[in-house]
Amino acid sequence: MMVGRLLNAVLCAAMCIASYSCRAQAGADFKAGQLSADRVVKAWAKYNDPLRDLFTTHGLKWPATDIYLRAFKLQNELELWARDNATDEYRHVKTYRICAISGALGPKRKQGDRQVPEGYYFIDEFNPNSDYHLSLHLSYPNYSDLLQGKSNPGGDIYIHGGCLTVGCLPMEDEGIREIYTLCLNTRLNGQQYIPVHIYPTHMNKSGMSYLQKEVAGNVGKQQFWWNLKNGYEHFEKHHKLQPVMYTPDGNYLN
């Protein structure tokens, strides 16, 4: 029975990744298009060297080879972690301020609910001509969102500039310029999918106690957060990420 569940989870994860792969941008055309955009050129000129210095200070290679972004909605924080090799532990490099959050704590479940998603995603599109200065599209809805959400879960979730949001992770324009330069450098250096994990808060003992009080009686949210907590705890303990896999009913299998 467990083997069957694991096999289903692996197949579900593969289907989920495949469904987004058509959005992922690649190749020489992608590089040329990005580096010909005026906003990208200006951001690159301003932030490439400071980012190199930041990574050097932390004993990390530049351009980065493997980065991970972790967001906490309650704290309005977006953490940057990085490592040089797949066998290394991630190191914390910097924390950025998310300048606004819409909705309440809890996952996004339908179009128009103003919720910022919670769960495990990756960057699958770079938009240098965004209405919000620069933007990085996240792979919402993932397989869990599709199974556990409403019939129309919505989409178009970004990390972007402009400091306005109806469900995204907005930065000040200066912040998104640096983050965009960071992610583009890493993407061009070979990291096809940059993971972005979004949590309601730090899911330690005090954080979980706060969440249980916040949604007392909401069994659905409580069960979702206890499931999400497993991935948080694994990273806190090992500073490594597990493969994102799903059970047939849309829970995270980690």
Side-chain angles (χ1 to χ4, degrees):
M1 181 66 70
M2 179 56 69
V3 172
R5 285 173 63 84
L6 287 171
L7 179 58
N8 283 338
V10 171
L11 291 174
C12 288
M15 289 171 61
C16 182
I17 292 173
S19 70
Y20 292 116
S21 62
C22 60
R23 293 197 62 143
Q25 302 156 306
D29 289 344
F30 167 69
K31 180 178 181 179
Q34 290 291 317
L35 296 181
S36 66
D38 183 63
R39 294 176 190 174
V40 176
V41 171
K42 289 179 178 178
W44 191 287
K46 182 171 183 178
Y47 287 107
N48 187 66
D49 288 347
L51 281 166
R52 177 187 292 111
D53 294 343
L54 177 65
F55 272 66
T56 300
T57 298
H58 284 82
L60 293 162
K61 297 176 183 176
W62 183 260
T65 56
D66 188 342
I67 63 173
Y68 162 54
L69 299 175
R70 185 170 70 161
F72 296 101
K73 290 163 58 171
L74 187 62
Q75 288 77 21
N76 285 63
E77 292 177 347
L78 180 69
E79 295 178 345
L80 164 62
W81 296 75
R83 64 182 182 180
D84 289 338
N85 301 291
T87 57
D88 293 344
E89 294 184 8
Y90 283 96
R91 304 182 203 173
H92 179 242
V93 178
K94 185 172 181 175
T95 298
Y96 297 93
R97 178 179 174 270
I98 302 169
C99 63
I101 291 285
S102 66
L105 297 180
K108 182 175 180 63
R109 289 298 183 231
K110 63 181 179 179
Q111 176 74 33
D113 63 4
R114 301 179 64 88
Q115 285 291 99
V116 178
E118 293 173 10
Y120 307 141
Y121 307 98
F122 54 84
I123 294 170
D124 63 1
E125 183 180 321
F126 291 71
N127 182 4
N129 301 305
S130 171
D131 290 339
Y132 300 95
H133 194 63
L134 295 165
S135 62
L136 301 163
H137 185 267
L138 302 185
S139 59
Y140 171 88
N142 63 21
Y143 188 76
S144 175
D145 300 317
L146 290 171
L147 283 187
Q148 299 195 7
K150 305 296 183 181
S151 58
N152 181 6
D156 292 334
I157 303 299
Y158 293 86
I159 303 171
H160 62 64
C163 200
L164 298 170
T165 182
V166 286
C168 296
L169 297 174
M171 306 287 166
E172 300 284 356
D173 285 353
E174 287 303 311
I176 192 59
R177 288 175 187 137
E178 180 172 324
I179 294 168
Y180 199 97
T181 302
L182 161 75
C183 292
L184 182 58
N185 254 298
T186 309
R187 174 67 184 80
L188 294 177
N189 200 35
Q191 188 175 7
Q192 182 77 24
Y193 299 105
I194 297 169
V196 181
H197 294 180
I198 306 174
Y199 292 99
T201 186
H202 293 271
M203 307 191 83
N204 49 27
K205 184 177 180 180
S206 61
M208 293 304 294
S209 177
Y210 174 84
L211 290 175
Q212 298 312 300
K213 294 176 182 176
E214 183 75 8
V215 297
N218 189 324
V219 177
K221 278 190 179 182
Q222 291 178 11
Q223 290 177 338
F224 173 79
W225 284 332
W226 280 107
N227 180 230
L228 203 62
K229 181 175 182 284
N230 295 326
Y232 173 87
E233 287 185 331
H234 178 87
F235 185 79
E236 287 294 291
K237 182 177 180 180
H238 302 287
H239 286 168
K240 292 185 178 181
L241 298 175
Q242 297 173 301
V244 177
M245 298 191 296
Y246 309 90
T247 65
D249 56 357
N251 287 319
Y252 293 107
L253 190 65
N254 51 22

